[in-house]
Amino acid sequence: MGILARMEQREPERRYTMADVADKVFEATGAKTKAGTTVTEETALNLSAVWAATRVLTDTVASTPVHVYERLDPRGKQRAPTHPVYRLLHDRANPEMSAFAFKETLQGHAATWGNGYAEKERNGRGEVVALWPIAPHRVTPKRVEVRGKVTKVFEVDVGGSKKVFGSDQIMHIPGFGYDGLMGYSAIRMARESLGLTKAAEEFGGRMFGSGLRAGGVLTHPKSLSDIARKNLRESTEKFSGGLDNAHRMMLLEDGLTWTQTSIPPEDAQFLETRKFQTVEIARWFKVPPHKIGDLERATFSNIEHQSIEFATDTARPWFVRWEQVFNWELFSAGDRGTYFAEFLMDALLRGDSESRSKLHTAMFQVGAASPNDIREIENKNPIEGGDRYYVQGAYVPVDKIDDVIDAKKAPPAAAPKSADPAGGEPFARLRPVLLDAAERVLRRELDELRKAVAKGKVGDWADGFYHQDHAGFAAKRFLPACLVLDPAAGAALAGQMGADWASGSLAELRRALKTGEGVEAVVKRWEAGRAEEWVRSTIERRVA
């Protein structure tokens, strides 16, 4: 248990609550608002919008995983689950609190009071082994001069007496502030807005408590004695107050008349005021209104963007505050250059299944993520062979991409002989892969051909397309099958096959233009079975 907790256990009779201190502080600083209400950090949580905004921030920080990483040389990182700080931030902050509960508590203090404090309990080796939250009203950070050097200390109220602790004993998560010592209390800065919100809430409660009757004046033609005036007031209030008396008729005798004096709720724009104050509170806490239940201006499209903005503009600054404090105050001087803590923001930006699928596909196709990287993000176990990276081009391995680039420049290679010990034919076994590649090549070729026909420039287009572009494209698609067939000569073989495809297409297209057969006839013939025919003839030729 921490030093502060042990000291408080010895003096339980002198402890007092946060509300007691808050009331005294606010009374001294003029916390009474112009709306006539008093607002403190605790009473502000009675307002649903403040409660919701605070919970949004605390839940976000507490539920986002924190991992400790080890830097790799020359770049990169890997998780370090055996480091002592990892357990504090990921599992249990102290024997009584989970890491979630600890982060939730300190973030709640920082979001409302502007500062979150925790005592750092250390073992005999000086390592931080537990973090204990401290109520922020009990802590005052100060700068003092020690041996000619200015340093930051914390004056803590422990059981009614002031104790001074150094930065090595107290961890401090500050919010926005101007002096570099303390963050501003959001509740104190927003007390006029919150006071108006609280006044509107109390107004609504009193209005219903009076049976929805507006205030007014009873007038009597004669003067009344003190006793008569008292009896009249008591009987009138008893008759008109409370929901049980709502909408009951009141009988006036002896010349009494009623004059309404208060403004009706509709004239005071009661509902509009309450709606505006919800948005106002969201603005103070930098939280999108839909996060605290105000969906009046929300749509399916803008909620997604607002959620992204919340992650980048609201949550990320808090994450950076936490990370910088963690990295400076929890790691030893020797560990700071090697180990660091980081929030896993990917958990906050996961999105829906369709969005994640598109992101994973894009990352996979450019070689930025392996199948096992994607499976780890999706919380699935790795698979055998899933650590290899690929790029587009029939998903060619990254370390083989140079062979693809040089494929069309290489001299034609002789067809490899079968090395299958079972006597089977390699090309025949690769038929499904070759057919898929050929269909991809044909689809691209037909798309480009139709564009050229639409422009009326098939002749001018054909030579450049087939000689300069399409042969290389086809070679990239055939390369995976060729590498399986013969890793050493696969690139050259793919280049030859790509050149054969392009030259065959160009020759057939030229004959159609020369004989007047027409391009459309060629397109129909190719669609009917060009890929299948090419694979069949290629296999027969190579096997032979």
Side-chain angles (χ1 to χ4, degrees):
M1 183 175 291
I3 299 173
L4 297 178
R6 290 197 298 270
M7 294 175 70
E8 283 200 336
Q9 277 191 340
R10 291 196 295 268
E11 299 179 295
E13 71 280 356
R14 301 184 65 181
R15 297 178 65 182
Y16 41 89
T17 66
M18 185 184 297
D20 296 332
V21 175
D23 289 340
K24 294 179 181 178
V25 171
F26 275 115
E27 286 171 7
T29 55
K32 192 97 171 173
T33 65
K34 295 181 176 64
T37 56
T38 302
V39 178
T40 68
E41 278 85 357
E42 275 202 345
T43 60
L45 293 176
N46 294 331
L47 301 172
S48 62
V50 175
W51 176 269
T54 304
R55 287 299 306 273
V56 166
L57 296 176
T58 58
D59 290 352
T60 299
V61 171
S63 63
T64 303
V66 183
H67 293 290
V68 173
Y69 295 93
E70 180 183 4
R71 300 184 192 277
L72 301 179
D73 187 28
R75 63 181 182 178
K77 62 184 179 182
Q78 66 180 8
R79 292 184 184 177
T82 59
H83 196 282
V85 176
Y86 187 97
R87 179 184 59 81
L88 292 176
L89 306 183
H90 191 268
D91 300 324
R92 295 197 72 81
N94 61 61
E96 298 176 2
M97 300 180 71
S98 66
F100 182 100
F102 171 79
K103 290 186 291 180
E104 182 182 48
T105 301
L106 245 66
Q107 179 60 39
H109 291 166
T112 53
W113 285 83
N115 301 275
Y117 301 97
E119 179 195 357
K120 293 181 280 189
E121 182 182 351
R122 299 180 183 272
N123 59 16
R125 296 187 298 273
E127 299 171 336
V128 180
V129 294
L131 295 168
W132 299 87
I134 309 173
H137 72 274
R138 297 169 47 198
V139 185
T140 304
K142 294 182 176 181
R143 290 191 180 99
V144 299
E145 187 173 336
V146 179
R147 299 187 184 91
K149 182 180 179 181
V150 177
T151 184
K152 182 180 178 180
V153 299
F154 299 88
E155 190 178 83
V156 184
D157 189 324
V158 183
S161 60
K162 302 293 184 180
K163 306 291 182 181
V164 177
F165 296 86
S167 297
D168 61 326
Q169 297 171 287
I170 303 294
M171 186 180 80
H172 180 200
I173 307 291
F176 169 68
Y178 271 176
D179 60 3
L181 277 176
M182 295 181 65
Y184 289 138
S185 166
I187 302 302
R188 184 175 299 190
M189 301 301 292
R191 63 174 176 257
E192 290 297 337
S193 294
L194 301 180
L196 178 57
T197 306
K198 193 173 181 182
E201 194 170 85
E202 290 181 2
F203 173 80
R206 291 178 180 177
M207 182 175 66
F208 279 94
S210 64
L212 302 176
R213 295 179 187 273
V217 177
L218 279 173
T219 305
H220 194 276
K222 299 178 183 179
S223 61
L224 297 175
S225 65
D226 293 340
I227 296 177
R229 188 181 297 108
K230 180 181 177 182
N231 292 336
L232 178 61
R233 178 187 295 275
E234 291 178 354
S235 61
T236 304
E237 290 180 351
K238 182 178 180 181
F239 179 85
S240 60
L243 290 177
D244 291 339
N245 294 315
H247 308 299
R248 290 183 61 186
M249 185 179 297
M250 183 170 61
L251 182 63
L252 299 179
E253 301 179 275
D254 199 19
L256 283 171
T257 58
W258 168 263
T259 303
Q260 181 174 303
T261 57
S262 62
I263 302 175
E266 61 273 15
D267 293 341
Q269 294 184 317
F270 171 66
L271 293 178
E272 287 76 6
T273 299
R274 298 209 67 186
K275 287 180 181 179
F276 173 77
Q277 288 308 112
T278 299
V279 178
E280 183 82 348
I281 291 171
R283 186 180 298 119
W284 275 106
F285 283 89
K286 203 177 177 183
V287 171
H290 79 270
K291 287 281 188 181
I292 60 174
D294 183 0
L295 302 177
E296 185 174 359
R297 296 177 179 84
T299 65
F300 286 108
S301 58
N302 67 19
I303 276 186
E304 180 180 1
H305 290 288
Q306 287 184 54
S307 297
I308 294 174
E309 290 175 359
F310 169 76
T312 57
D313 299 342
T314 302
R316 179 166 177 76
W318 280 111
F319 291 158
V320 173
R321 286 189 180 98
W322 282 81
E323 289 170 357
Q324 292 184 349
V325 172
F326 287 158
N327 294 333
W328 184 254
E329 299 195 15
L330 299 186
F331 294 97
S332 65
D335 282 350
R336 283 177 196 150
T338 306
Y339 296 94
F340 64 96
E342 188 175 69
F343 279 86
L344 193 63
M345 274 201 69
D346 290 345
L348 200 60
L349 295 170
R350 282 175 65 90
D352 54 32
S353 58
E354 182 179 359
S355 301
R356 297 202 310 274
S357 175
K358 290 180 179 179
L359 174 62
H360 295 333
T361 300
M363 296 289 282
F364 178 79
Q365 289 178 345
V366 299
S370 69
N372 280 345
D373 291 337
I374 297 172
R375 292 180 66 83
E376 182 177 2
I377 293 173
E378 292 296 318
N379 198 30
K380 297 181 182 297
N381 292 330
I383 57 175
E384 185 178 354
D387 292 320
R388 200 171 190 183
Y389 293 83
Y390 299 82
V391 295
Q392 267 190 319
Y395 302 126
V396 180
V398 173
D399 54 358
K400 299 293 184 181
I401 193 63
D402 289 338
D403 296 336
V404 175
I405 298 174
D406 298 332
K408 59 183 179 182
K409 299 179 181 179
K417 296 181 180 180
S418 172
D420 186 0
E425 302 298 347
F427 268 101
R429 289 187 287 108
L430 290 174
R431 179 186 180 87
V433 180
L434 285 171
L435 182 58
D436 178 71
E439 288 174 345
R440 291 170 181 264
V441 173
L442 179 61
R443 282 199 299 270
R444 191 237 192 183
E445 184 174 351
L446 290 174
D447 289 342
E448 296 298 323
L449 179 57
R450 290 190 179 97
K451 293 177 184 177
V453 170
K455 295 179 180 178
K457 298 181 179 180
V458 176
D460 298 336
W461 162 85
D463 287 334
F465 175 73
Y466 285 107
H467 286 311
Q468 301 175 14
D469 182 18
H470 200 51
F473 178 86
K476 292 179 184 179
R477 295 301 177 269
F478 299 138
L479 180 63
C482 295
L483 289 174
V484 172
L485 182 68
D486 188 338
L493 179 59
Q496 179 185 344
M497 293 170 67
D500 289 346
W501 176 287
S503 60
S505 296
L506 180 59
E508 187 172 356
L509 194 59
R510 282 176 174 171
R511 278 197 306 272
L513 293 173
K514 185 176 181 180
T515 61
E517 179 185 12
V519 176
E520 287 299 325
V522 176
V523 170
K524 290 181 180 180
R525 187 162 58 249
W526 286 356
E527 288 178 332
R530 168 78 191 284
E532 181 75 27
E533 174 61 25
W534 183 87
V535 171
R536 184 189 61 77
S537 62
T538 299
I539 291 176
E540 290 176 354
R541 186 168 64 254
R542 297 296 171 182
V543 170

